[in-house]
Amino acid sequence: ASFRLLCFRTSLVAHLIFGLLLQPPLTHLSIVTQPNIVLLMADDLGIGDVGCYGNDTIRTPNIDRLAKEGVKLTQHIAAAPLCTPSRAAFLTGRYPLRSGMDAVNNYRVIFWNAGSGGLPPNETTFAKILQQQGYSTGLIGKWHQGVNCESRNDHCHHPLNHGFDYFYGMPFTLISDCQPTETPEMDRVFRRKLWLYTQMIGLVTLTAALGRLTGLISLRWKTLTCLAGFSLLFFVSWFSSYGFVRHWNCIMMRNHEVTEQPMVTDRTTSLILRESISFIERSKHKPFLLFLSFLHSHTPLLTTKKFLGRSHHGLYGDNVEEMDWMVGQVLDAIDKEGLKNTTLVYFASDHGGWLERQEGQRQLGGWNGIYRGGKAMGGWEGGIRVPGIFRWPGVLPAGTVIDEPTSLMDIYPTVVHLAGGVLPQDRVIDGRDLMPLLRGTVEHSEHEFLFHYCGIHLHAVRWHQKDSGAIWKAHYVTPVFHPPGAGACYDRGFCPCFGEGVTHHDPPLLFDLSRDPSEAEPLSADTEPLFDTVIRKIGRAVEEHRRTLTPVPEQLSLYNVVWKPYIVLWKPGLQPCCGTFPFCWCDKEGDN
């Protein structure tokens, strides 16, 4: 009997060992549990523009469906109030200041495809980590993180150099210059100055020539010729860039290849949707990451005829409703492929709506609901509080609403964790893994403090006092609104971060967002017993935060974004071109 028992045990151990040998490597096992990840990011969408956040006139049934089937965040915060720095923080999980992607000047975003600034190659995006974990990674739509560093084809800032296997979309951003029928948007005031200077120089040259011909002015023809040559050179130097903004900046690329220069805006929406669905279909057999970075709802509000005139909010509302329809098409594609229960879907905006964006009586920017301020304002809630929705059936509880401070930077550690990756250990990661909060296994966000920058300037700080539930917010700097009390900087088009257009506060303006989310009534030592305690606590947090900052190259310096201002405003040697520069003209989508 003991012999038979020994044989049985030996046989059992042998089977166990044999079975273990037949198991695939652990990395393969983890792939089975890795969800697909679809990140949907709107451009310039206000939190008040979405139905599930309180809008009852713009119809967003598909975004609302995501919230109904998933988790809605009501205090989801962008790390910056403008496109380039906000998206840099989103991709890296770090305040843009840490990567040099926040500005020291008034050029606060990437300004040209031919600039040399951009997301540094030594930054590790979540796409790069997911790529290493075996994911197929794709970016469809807007990039706005730079293209080249030193030559036209080095692609050092390009999506394919930052972890994406596939890219189709705009390396830049959509602007009104991309639509020939719209009023130019890019650097509008500066362009008017350049044109005025050109006219003045031309007038001086013409007056000198007439004076020389009539004998009223004693001037050598050689001097007059030099003056005329300077006038022509000045005009050509700035007009070669600003006169062809649509040609240089409004282009479409597939991977490293320019496919439309300039882009054909009538079909952009359909191409982006087609590429997104195609990526899902061809990537369905392994885990995939799709970052669909919408061109909606940025001006010039490209909207197909099917949606024109459908909303109660003019062209802007039409554009938002079309984007919502695109969200529905992507969700339908996920369902069609049987991927709904294995796919985490996330929807957000890169920052708040643009209040100042108007043409005559037309409001072309978004609405930020009850929140004060908007796009470009680093401190006020309207510039940084955005929609944030997660859906993963069977994993995240449907119909959940979470009113805890969260950040767009949190997507980084969240998706890296889900993919089985490891966060970089050689740098500060400011984001926090959201899965425990989303699943309801913890009550509070890991964020105690969030720092709200405008460029490199710290404008405000948020403190989540978890034991009391208070959300304190101290404003050190606020923009000066014009006209006074208007809630935005309508005289400038954007609110500035520094200089005469801001007010410094000492002591800081203090609000409790849990009681006053609109930031309407600042507290004082007379009205709030904890005023001094809160200000001291936030001050110490700022000191600690600043000790974690290290100097890095400024990617948005004047040299990197415009190069020799007032003379040549873009770097021809870095310009993406589908032909032989400067003859860059193609339409490969139209087979021309």
Side-chain angles (χ1 to χ4, degrees):
S2 61
F3 177 78
R4 285 197 299 270
L5 181 59
L6 179 62
C7 290
F8 173 77
R9 287 177 175 172
T10 304
S11 175
L12 181 61
V13 170
H15 278 85
L16 285 172
I17 293 173
F18 185 70
L20 287 171
L21 290 173
L22 290 178
Q23 289 290 330
L26 286 177
T27 53
H28 289 186
L29 276 176
S30 65
I31 289 176
V32 177
T33 60
Q34 292 171 320
N36 305 309
I37 296 167
V38 175
L39 308 176
L40 308 172
M41 179 168 283
D43 196 1
D44 284 21
L45 180 74
I47 192 171
D49 294 325
V50 184
C52 59
Y53 283 91
N55 193 306
D56 57 4
T57 54
I58 296 180
R59 293 162 294 190
T60 55
N62 296 293
I63 299 172
D64 299 346
R65 171 160 59 107
L66 276 178
K68 184 178 180 181
E69 296 176 355
V71 179
K72 181 178 76 171
L73 305 175
T74 62
Q75 203 176 156
H76 201 41
I77 307 299
L82 285 173
C83 307
T84 296
S86 174
R87 290 163 183 266
F90 176 73
L91 288 161
T92 63
R94 291 152 50 82
Y95 287 107
L97 194 70
R98 298 192 190 279
S99 58
M101 291 294 281
D102 237 339
V104 297
N105 51 64
N106 287 320
Y107 289 92
R108 295 161 57 190
V109 297
I110 298 292
F111 236 65
W112 296 95
N113 277 327
S116 56
L119 190 63
N122 63 352
E123 286 293 326
T124 303
T125 66
F126 57 70
K128 188 170 289 186
I129 297 178
L130 266 63
Q131 188 182 56
Q132 294 167 354
Q133 293 301 115
Y135 273 68
S136 295
T137 57
L139 168 60
I140 312 295
K142 171 176 173 171
W143 175 237
H144 210 191
Q145 299 292 302
V147 183
N148 299 311
C149 287
E150 297 179 356
S151 67
R152 182 169 293 123
N153 296 312
D154 66 27
H155 299 121
C156 70
H157 303 307
H158 191 279
L160 267 60
N161 200 40
H162 280 294
F164 291 100
D165 299 317
Y166 183 75
F167 168 62
Y168 177 81
M170 288 191 75
F172 190 58
T173 181
L174 197 60
I175 51 176
S176 290
D177 303 71
C178 298
Q179 189 80 304
T181 57
E182 293 292 321
T183 304
E185 170 187 334
M186 186 172 155
D187 228 355
R188 190 181 302 183
V189 175
F190 184 50
R191 288 159 83 166
R192 287 175 185 156
K193 287 182 180 178
L194 288 171
W195 179 236
L196 176 63
Y197 297 156
T198 301
Q199 291 175 307
M200 292 171 60
I201 295 171
L203 183 61
V204 168
T205 304
L206 182 60
T207 302
L210 290 174
R212 176 67 175 81
L213 288 171
T214 58
L216 294 175
I217 299 176
S218 177
L219 194 67
R220 297 172 59 187
W221 283 110
K222 185 176 181 181
T223 303
L224 191 59
T225 302
C226 291
L227 184 60
F230 173 77
S231 302
L232 180 63
L233 179 63
F234 181 84
F235 173 73
V236 169
S237 66
W238 72 262
F239 191 78
S240 61
S241 54
Y242 279 114
F244 297 91
V245 168
R246 178 169 170 259
H247 205 73
W248 303 134
N249 278 348
C250 304
I251 68 174
M252 299 291 285
M253 296 182 76
R254 177 176 285 105
N255 296 328
H256 291 148
E257 180 185 25
V258 177
T259 58
E260 295 179 27
Q261 191 168 15
M263 64 192 292
V264 183
T265 55
D266 290 344
R267 63 181 180 219
T268 303
T269 296
S270 60
L271 287 175
I272 285 177
L273 182 58
R274 185 190 74 183
E275 290 282 344
S276 300
I277 293 174
S278 175
F279 182 83
I280 292 171
E281 291 173 345
R282 67 176 183 267
S283 304
K284 62 186 178 183
H285 298 299
K286 62 182 292 190
F288 65 83
L289 162 71
L290 169 62
F291 178 18
L292 172 49
S293 179
F294 291 104
L295 302 184
H296 298 60
S297 48
H298 199 293
T299 51
L301 302 173
L302 300 182
T303 309
T304 59
K305 292 181 180 179
K306 177 181 176 182
F307 286 89
L308 288 176
R310 285 184 45 161
S311 81
H312 299 291
H313 283 270
L315 182 59
Y316 181 83
D318 298 344
N319 192 256
V320 173
E321 292 193 3
E322 180 173 61
M323 179 185 64
D324 178 80
W325 170 77
M326 294 174 72
V327 170
Q329 294 297 299
V330 171
L331 296 180
D332 289 347
I334 292 170
D335 292 350
K336 179 184 174 184
E337 300 299 335
L339 302 173
K340 182 175 181 178
N341 293 335
T342 56
T343 302
L344 172 69
V345 179
Y346 166 75
F347 176 84
S349 178
D350 55 355
H351 50 70
W354 191 357
L355 301 180
E356 296 94 344
R357 190 65 179 95
Q358 300 173 330
E359 291 291 349
Q361 297 300 312
R362 293 196 304 165
Q363 176 62 36
L364 301 179
W367 181 52
N368 301 311
I370 66 170
Y371 303 107
R372 192 173 183 180
K375 176 178 178 177
M377 304 182 208
W380 295 120
E381 287 292 284
I384 54 178
R385 191 183 289 224
V386 297
I389 303 171
F390 289 84
R391 187 194 75 173
W392 187 0
V395 177
L396 302 182
T400 302
V401 178
I402 296 176
D403 188 26
E404 289 282 309
T406 58
S407 170
L408 265 68
M409 296 184 291
D410 296 337
I411 303 308
Y412 187 98
T414 301
V415 300
V416 167
H417 167 75
L418 290 173
V422 178
L423 295 177
Q425 302 299 305
D426 61 344
R427 64 199 65 192
V428 175
I429 301 296
D430 298 296
R432 299 292 182 264
D433 183 4
L434 286 178
M435 284 307 293
L437 183 66
L438 297 175
R439 298 187 70 176
T441 58
V442 298
E443 184 179 354
H444 294 297
S445 160
E446 286 189 44
H447 290 290
E448 184 178 8
F449 296 95
L450 285 171
F451 303 91
H452 307 308
Y453 282 92
C454 186
I456 65 166
H457 307 277
L458 184 65
H459 274 206
V461 180
R462 175 186 316 247
W463 174 32
H464 183 201
Q465 192 178 6
K466 299 178 185 179
D467 56 351
S468 69
I471 306 289
W472 304 103
K473 180 132 167 257
H475 287 261
Y476 295 95
V477 183
T478 57
V480 177
F481 292 149
H482 186 86
C489 302
Y490 291 101
D491 59 330
R492 297 171 178 262
F494 277 116
C495 284
C497 297
F498 61 93
E500 295 180 355
V502 303
T503 301
H504 295 263
H505 302 281
D506 186 15
L509 297 180
L510 183 67
F511 301 90
D512 180 359
L513 299 181
S514 63
R515 292 178 286 169
D516 180 20
S518 300
E519 299 173 287
E521 298 293 335
L523 304 171
S524 67
D526 296 328
T527 60
E528 174 53 60
L530 295 175
F531 182 89
D532 292 329
T533 302
V534 171
I535 294 300
R536 283 197 299 270
K537 177 79 172 180
I538 292 176
R540 288 194 295 270
V542 171
E543 292 175 4
E544 286 186 32
H545 167 68
R546 283 179 170 155
R547 282 196 289 269
T548 70
L549 302 175
T550 55
V552 293
E554 298 169 5
Q555 296 299 320
L556 303 185
S557 66
L558 283 174
Y559 177 82
N560 281 330
V561 292
V562 294
W563 193 51
K564 294 183 182 178
Y566 307 103
I567 302 175
V568 178
L569 299 179
W570 103 121
K571 300 181 179 181
L574 302 184
Q575 176 63 49
C577 181
C578 60
T580 302
F581 186 84
F583 305 104
C584 311
W585 200 290
C586 62
D587 178 8
K588 297 178 183 179
E589 299 296 341
D591 297 324
N592 294 323

